[in-house]
Amino acid sequence: FGEFGFKACKWYSISAGYSQDNPDNSDLNAGGKTKNEIFYLANRFNFDPIEIGADYLNWTTDYKGFDDGDDNRFNIYIMYKF
């Protein structure tokens, strides 16, 4: 797992990260996940007490005995802090 974050100004920050889980294939049953990878990019807009977030996540999963899986996710949220 690794993450890099940068606070560009008082109200905006950006983070990017990567993580991988790669178990020993001999420990897996048929159809088990042989590798999980994720890359993400997170944007945070902080206007206290409101925070707005916009994220992109790219998941890749390899399976034993099945086709690989890919997923792209976009998340947007608004949070009120009290």
Side-chain angles (χ1 to χ4, degrees), residues 11-65:
W11 54 269
Y12 176 70
S13 63
I14 186 168
S15 300
Y18 174 81
S19 183
Q20 182 184 88
D21 177 30
N22 193 355
D24 186 347
N25 291 355
S26 64
D27 291 340
L28 302 173
N29 295 328
K33 296 178 186 177
T34 60
K35 185 169 65 172
N36 259 346
E37 287 182 301
I38 181 174
F39 166 78
Y40 66 90
L41 182 64
N43 295 277
R44 300 289 179 261
F45 303 88
N46 189 1
F47 307 107
D48 273 336
I50 304 291
E51 181 175 304
I52 300 169
D55 305 334
Y56 167 71
L57 299 91
N58 175 266
W59 288 86
T60 303
T61 304
D62 297 342
Y63 293 95
K64 186 176 183 179

